[in-house]
Amino acid sequence: MSLRFIVSEASNNRITTHRSWGSELVHIYVGRRVVPFSVHKKLLCSTSVFFDNAFNTGSEAAAQGEMTLPDDQAYVFQGFVNWLYARKLGDLAPDGGPWNMAELVDLYLFAMEKCSNAFQNAVMDGIQDHLDRRNNTLSPELVSKIYINTRSTQDASIRKFCCACITWFLDHPETNHGWDEMEAKYFLCWDSDNYYDLQIEIYDSFETRVRFSPLKRNASELYCMCYFHIHADGEECKSVSQYKPYV
């Protein structure tokens, strides 16, 4: 992929910081079709523990300045690189069409696997906004995919979001998008990772939970701006200043 194209997509104020990226590029080959990407090493490694370990150790990737990601999808990596330079996810996928929910879940799982909290949080914001604009919720199929491919709420707070969406549906059945009440209750009982916190939410915050949807990133009484984020201790949430509510 042309680096020129990626940089052209970034906002002007981000382009002016290109000197901080350094001049060294690394080359990454993605997917079964081996799609090539060239990315500034310093920028990439500053955003992902995975890539930092790969390119700043004594590994083969570090020595050669390149690596392959055969199990990842090219459109997911392109979405990551576009975000890396522009620092915003944007409404359009690399193919020019709007992101769909399955693609956003794939981006989230990629961010988690590559240990990029900032990208993970940006995608989580995108998921909430996408669902809010459509008054929708995560389908049972996507919730299942999320749980199969994540380990815990500490690594993937999207699990907490799944539970919040389902409990919202139980109070607002008109938002049913593939769920029925028995299926939803069965899932909540099965989800031992979140079950205790969920019960507190149900019994101690019923009135608040009914009034506020988990889809809205508006610092409500229950779901603050980064309630579904992953942050290091003392880290400032970037979403607060970037938030544009959907009207």
Side-chain angles (χ1 to χ4, degrees), residues 129-156:
D129 292 347
H130 180 98
L131 293 174
D132 184 31
R133 292 171 186 176
R134 293 158 179 80
N135 190 30
N136 207 334
T137 190
L138 291 167
S139 69
E141 293 76 18
L142 285 178
V143 169
S144 177
K145 179 176 182 176
I146 288 166
Y147 269 80
I148 289 171
N149 289 281
T150 57
R151 296 175 290 276
S152 69
T153 302
Q154 287 69 38
D155 295 323

Side-chain angles (χ1 to χ4, degrees), residues 19 67 80 132 240:
R19 288 189 179 87
M67 69 182 304
F80 168 61
D132 184 31
V240 175

Side-chain angles (χ1 to χ4, degrees), residues 116-204:
S116 177
N117 287 356
F119 186 47
Q120 199 168 336
N121 295 337
V123 176
M124 186 68 250
D125 290 347
I127 289 173
Q128 287 179 268
D129 292 347
H130 180 98
L131 293 174
D132 184 31
R133 292 171 186 176
R134 293 158 179 80
N135 190 30
N136 207 334
T137 190
L138 291 167
S139 69
E141 293 76 18
L142 285 178
V143 169
S144 177
K145 179 176 182 176
I146 288 166
Y147 269 80
I148 289 171
N149 289 281
T150 57
R151 296 175 290 276
S152 69
T153 302
Q154 287 69 38
D155 295 323
S157 59
I158 195 172
R159 284 175 168 240
K160 188 163 55 174
F161 179 69
C162 290
C163 287
C165 284
I166 298 168
T167 54
W168 172 257
F169 152 65
L170 290 175
D171 284 323
H172 301 80
E174 71 279 4
T175 65
N176 172 357
H177 292 275
W179 292 94
D180 60 50
E181 185 173 351
M182 287 296 293
E183 184 177 35
K185 289 181 177 178
Y186 175 81
F187 171 81
L188 295 178
C189 291
W190 170 67
D191 176 26
S192 59
D193 187 41
N194 283 299
Y195 187 63
Y196 178 72
D197 289 339
L198 192 60
Q199 294 309 301
I200 294 177
E201 182 180 310
I202 289 174
Y203 294 114
D204 292 351

